[in-house]
Amino acid sequence: MPAHFSQNALLLSLLLGVGQLQAAEPASPKAVATANGIPHPAVIAHRGASFDAPESTAAAYKLARDLGADYLELDLQRSKDGVLFALHDDNLQRTTDVASKFPERKNSPANEFTLAELKSLDAGSWFNTAYPDRARPAYAGLQILTLDEVIDIAQGNPRHKPGLYIETKEPKQFPGIERDLKDKLQDRGWLSPAGSKLAKSELAVGQGKGKVVLQTFEKSSLQKLQEEMPQVPKILLLWVAEGSIEPQSKVKFADSGDQDKATFYARQQPKDNAAFEQWVDFAKASGAIGTGPSATRSDLGDQSYSNLVQPWMNRYTHDLGMLVHVYTLDDDVDFKSVMDAGVDGIFTNRASELLSYYKRPATGTVAQLLELNGF
Ligand code: G3P
Ligand code: CA
C-alpha cells in the first residue's frame, strides 16, 4: 500500500475517532443530578407541604422539611422596604386578610407593602375557609415569611436539612433581585462550598453542592442569576403562551369556549418541535442545568397546565445533558405517568405522597409532624 494511503487511513481513523467522541452519549440524568448534588429523582415541596398547610408559611415549610422533602420551593418577592420574602401571587387577596386590614389597597401588588405591613396580615385563615377538611385552629394568624425565616426553617431540623429551590417571581417587577438574593444567600453561608461531614449524607441536601437551585420563567432573569451565581444550579421554567414557548393556537382562553382554564391549557401545545427546542437550547446556552416544564394533571385542577413532559421533549432535554423537574403534581397516577415519560424530579404540593411513591416514607404522618411543630 502506498505511503500516502496509509497516512490517509490514519487521518481518517483519527477523524472518525474524534467524530465518535463528539457523538458520545450524554451523561445519564442520574449522573448529571449527582454531579450537581441534586437527589434523583428529586422531591420539591411546592410552596412547602401546601396541600396540608397554608402555602409558603411556617406550617407548610416545617412539615415539608420534617417529612423529608429534598427541597423547599418558594417564590421570591421584595417588600417596599427592600426585604426578600416568599409569596406566590402578585397581590395579597387570595392568601391573606388584606381586604379587611388594608381595604383601600387590597388590589395593590404585594411589593407595595412594607415588611411590617406584610407581617401584620393573617396568611393562614384563608386555608381553613377554603379547605375545612384540612383546617387547623393553629393556622389562623400565620405570617408571610421572609427568605431569612425560610432559611431558618430549612436549617432547623438536625435530622434532615432540605435545600432551597428559589424562583425569581415576576423579576421585572424587582430590578436587582438576583443580586439581592446572592447577597442574602452569601450572608447566610448558602453559597459556600460543601465541606462538612453532614454534607455527604443523603439527609443533608441543604448542606451539599445542590443545596440551592434557582428557577425562573424569565430568560433575562436566568442570565442575571448566571452572572451573579454561576456555580449554583439553575432551571428554566417552561410554559406555553405568547411571550413564552410559542403556542400552536392564538385563541385566548376568553374566546376559546372552554369552561375552565385547565381544559384550555391541556389543549395548548408548542407551535412545533422547534418552538419547544429553542427554549431548551436557550436554557443550556445560558448555563441552566435543566428545565422545569408544566404538566397536565389528571384532575385538571388549579395547577394543571399544558403537557410539556412528553417523552420526546424529555429525550431532547436529556440529550443536551440536562435535567427535567416537572411542576406541579400531587397524585400517584400523575407521578407514574411523568416518571414513565422520563422526568428527574417533581414539584408537588403533597410531599408526603411523593415520598411514599418513591418508597421514601417519612418518620411520621402529616398529622403527627404538624402537631410536633405546634400546629
Ligand atoms: O416554580 C415551579 C412552579 O412553582 C411554577 O409555577 O406558578 O406555582 O410558581 P408557580
Ligand atoms: Ca414557583
Side-chain angles (χ1 to χ4, degrees):
M1 186 182 289
H4 70 272
F5 260 63
S6 55
Q7 281 167 0
N8 285 350
L10 180 63
L11 192 59
L12 185 64
S13 65
L14 280 171
L15 285 171
L16 273 176
V18 170
Q20 279 162 0
L21 274 180
Q22 283 171 342
E25 287 289 303
S28 73
K30 168 97 176 157
V32 174
T34 304
N36 283 286
I38 296 171
H40 189 273
V43 175
I44 305 158
H46 185 244
R47 311 179 202 167
S50 57
F51 177 88
D52 294 295
E55 65 187 58
S56 309
T57 65
Y61 285 126
K62 286 181 180 177
L63 176 58
R65 174 196 69 192
D66 295 349
L67 283 164
D70 296 316
Y71 288 100
L72 308 183
E73 194 264 356
L74 65 108
D75 305 289
L76 193 69
Q77 303 201 36
R78 190 172 58 204
S79 69
K80 188 177 177 186
D81 48 345
V83 181
L84 298 177
F85 67 96
L87 185 80
H88 176 267
D89 294 6
D90 181 53
N91 71 44
L92 296 151
Q93 289 239 54
R94 180 178 63 90
T95 58
T96 78
D97 58 349
V98 68
S100 59
K101 296 230 173 78
F102 300 96
E104 71 292 353
R105 295 164 67 199
K106 65 180 185 191
N107 294 313
S108 301
N111 62 43
E112 291 180 8
F113 289 73
T114 64
L115 183 66
E117 288 170 337
L118 293 169
K119 281 287 183 187
S120 75
L121 298 172
D122 174 352
S125 290
W126 72 273
F127 182 94
N128 288 348
T129 306
Y131 307 110
D133 53 324
R134 286 169 251 157
R136 286 175 177 260
Y139 290 163
L142 284 171
Q143 292 184 332
I144 287 174
L145 298 178
T146 62
L147 175 58
D148 261 322
E149 289 168 325
V150 181
I151 291 175
D152 290 341
I153 290 170
Q155 295 175 336
N157 178 348
R159 289 170 304 287
H160 176 70
K161 298 202 178 289
L164 295 172
Y165 208 117
I166 305 175
E167 178 181 350
T168 51
K169 178 61 79 187
E170 301 293 343
K172 287 180 179 146
Q173 288 184 27
F174 304 104
I177 198 165
E178 296 83 3
R179 170 70 61 88
D180 292 351
L181 175 58
K182 174 194 173 173
D183 291 346
K184 175 57 69 185
L185 291 173
Q186 209 153 38
D187 283 354
R188 295 297 306 262
W190 277 64
L191 295 183
S192 317
S196 74
K197 203 170 165 193
L198 192 57
K200 296 187 177 69
S201 154
E202 284 183 5
L203 300 177
V205 179
Q207 297 197 334
K209 192 176 171 202
K211 60 185 137 191
V212 182
V213 179
L214 304 171
Q215 43 156 347
T216 183
F217 283 102
E218 291 283 340
K219 288 178 170 178
S220 58
S221 190
L222 174 62
Q223 291 170 319
K224 286 176 194 148
L225 290 168
Q226 178 68 2
E227 278 164 31
E228 295 292 345
M229 294 172 271
Q231 76 284 21
V232 177
K234 285 161 218 82
I235 292 280
L236 183 62
L237 298 168
L238 302 180
W239 171 257
V240 178
E242 293 295 327
S244 295
I245 296 176
E246 189 178 352
Q248 216 164 55
S249 161
K250 303 279 183 240
V251 178
K252 303 270 182 261
F253 170 63
D255 305 318
S256 67
D258 289 326
Q259 295 302 303
D260 58 86
K261 283 200 171 171
T263 304
F264 172 75
Y265 290 141
R267 291 195 291 100
Q268 296 296 295
Q269 285 292 315
K271 184 178 166 210
D272 50 27
N273 288 18
F276 174 84
E277 291 164 4
Q278 278 163 17
W279 276 72
V280 185
D281 294 347
F282 179 89
K284 174 82 179 173
S286 305
I289 58 98
T291 61
S294 61
T296 305
R297 294 164 59 111
S298 51
D299 66 4
L300 290 183
D302 272 354
Q303 294 171 8
S304 183
Y305 309 115
S306 48
N307 178 8
L308 293 179
V309 285
Q310 297 164 46
W312 73 266
M313 296 169 164
N314 298 334
R315 266 197 309 277
Y316 184 83
T317 310
H318 287 157
D319 285 349
L320 290 174
M322 301 170 81
L323 301 177
V324 178
H325 288 167
V326 61
Y327 67 94
T328 303
L329 301 169
D330 293 341
D331 294 317
D332 280 12
V333 62
D334 293 332
F335 300 154
K336 178 171 188 330
S337 135
V338 297
M339 290 306 294
D340 287 351
V343 308
D344 307 299
I346 300 178
F347 291 77
T348 183
N349 303 308
R350 301 192 78 175
S352 56
E353 302 302 302
L354 183 55
L355 286 161
S356 153
Y357 180 81
Y358 287 150
K359 306 207 178 338
R360 292 170 50 187
T363 52
T365 65
V366 163
Q368 286 167 342
L369 297 172
L370 281 168
E371 277 154 32
L372 274 174
N373 281 304
F375 299 107

